[in-house]
Amino acid sequence: MSTVIDGKTLASKLRFSIKQAVSELKIEHNIVPGLAVVLVGQDPASHVYVKSKARQTVEVGMHSFEHRLPENTSENELVDIIEELNQKPEVNGILVQLPLPDQINSERIINTINVNKDVDGFHIENIGRLSSGSSSLVPCTPAGCLILLRHTIENLSGHHAIILGRSNIVGKPVGQLLLKENCTVTIAHSKTRDLPSVCQRADIVIAAVGVPELVKDNWVKPGATVIDVGINRITDSLGNKKLVGDVDYESVSQVAGAITPVPGGVGPMTIACLLQNTIIATCRQRQIRIPPAIE
Ligand code: GUN
């Protein structure tokens, strides 16, 4: 039976440090970081995420600005809103919830965000900075995965990590972060041949493909660390709706050395890292030291 990697508790500890950092910024510099979240359309999952992001932003003592826009918002209207947010000194971080409706070009929108306010780390300049190893705002889910891995494995150097999925949000940036940790990185995807046996060779498995319970016990090397990024809503054989990851938790937890549950693994870490990025962005904009509580 594997160790369960408790993302909920780790995220709560990180939020505690963030709260301390926010209070230090207020006392020492009279600054309250502000995060603007922009949501276009009616996607139910996105509404849940945005509500949670706004609530946690306020809970750690920061300002939250929510912009909920109708489904038929045009690309130019959205660009105008982002340009306004770019100008506002009280807004230190801007996040546009993805996916956006079809009439909007996401890439144009992301690259309209001021690179220093891009707390998602999706701006082309932040991607380039991460890939070339210079300091950047790091995408939140990959940053959360790295914290969970560092908590589980003392020294990541030399470990073979396989990442299932090559998205810009998770797969590619988590690969960059693990390269920086001196892991040997394989990024697998839908065209990878014989995925189970490629996966079997890895010490670390990061599953981020959006296929419910894809990774089975015979895909995983005994003792490997498994990080499940998937969040899939399914109806089980008894007709019950439930949330599952990209890993078949029941079977894989018999083989893995350590594994993240869904829910309660990567998910809570993502928002905590978003709050952390908002503080980092604030400090860089104001050219002040990042409070030691989150360094
Ligand atoms: N949609 C799913 N994950 C994310 C994320 O990390 N950031 C944004 N902006 N949208 C998302």
Side-chain angles (χ1 to χ4, degrees), residues 128-149:
R129 286 177 156 268
L130 178 63
S131 310
S132 67
S134 40
S135 78
S136 64
L137 286 162
V138 175
C140 306
T141 302
C145 290
L146 183 59
I147 294 174
L148 294 172
L149 281 173

Side-chain angles (χ1 to χ4, degrees), residues 271-294:
I271 303 187
C273 289
L274 170 68
L275 303 175
Q276 186 175 37
N277 271 355
T278 305
I279 296 183
I280 294 169
T282 306
C283 294
R284 289 195 185 143
Q285 287 156 31
R286 304 293 291 259
Q287 295 182 325
I288 55 179
R289 186 183 54 99
I290 296 165
I294 63 152

Side-chain angles (χ1 to χ4, degrees), residues 46 49 53 95-99 120 122 140-141 169 270:
S46 292
Y49 293 139
K53 285 169 185 174
L95 177 146
V96 178
Q97 186 67 28
L98 302 176
D120 254 331
F122 294 163
C140 306
T141 302
I169 296 182
T270 297

Side-chain angles (χ1 to χ4, degrees), residues 89-130:
E90 68 274 26
V91 173
N92 303 105
I94 302 170
L95 177 146
V96 178
Q97 186 67 28
L98 302 176
L100 288 167
D102 290 347
Q103 75 276 14
I104 299 176
N105 177 341
S106 306
E107 205 177 320
R108 178 177 173 214
I109 297 304
I110 288 165
N111 292 326
T112 300
I113 299 171
N114 178 325
V115 63
N116 298 315
K117 295 190 177 186
D118 168 40
V119 283
D120 254 331
F122 294 163
H123 189 289
I124 194 79
E125 190 176 325
N126 278 321
I127 295 173
R129 286 177 156 268
L130 178 63

Side-chain angles (χ1 to χ4, degrees), residues 158-223:
H159 284 73
H160 180 194
I162 186 166
I163 299 154
L164 310 179
R166 53 177 154 177
S167 71
N168 290 335
I169 296 182
V170 184
K172 288 178 199 161
V174 90
Q176 296 295 350
L177 287 178
L178 292 179
L179 275 177
K180 246 181 169 171
E181 297 289 326
N182 299 316
C183 286
T184 302
V185 175
T186 302
I187 300 189
H189 46 77
S190 54
K191 301 287 188 291
T192 299
R193 294 203 189 117
D194 197 7
L195 194 49
S197 71
V198 179
C199 199
Q200 250 265 346
R201 281 183 239 135
D203 309 303
I204 295 166
V205 179
I206 300 193
V209 275
V211 179
E213 300 177 322
L214 175 75
V215 179
K216 307 293 182 202
D217 51 355
N218 62 349
W219 291 36
V220 174
K221 176 154 90 178

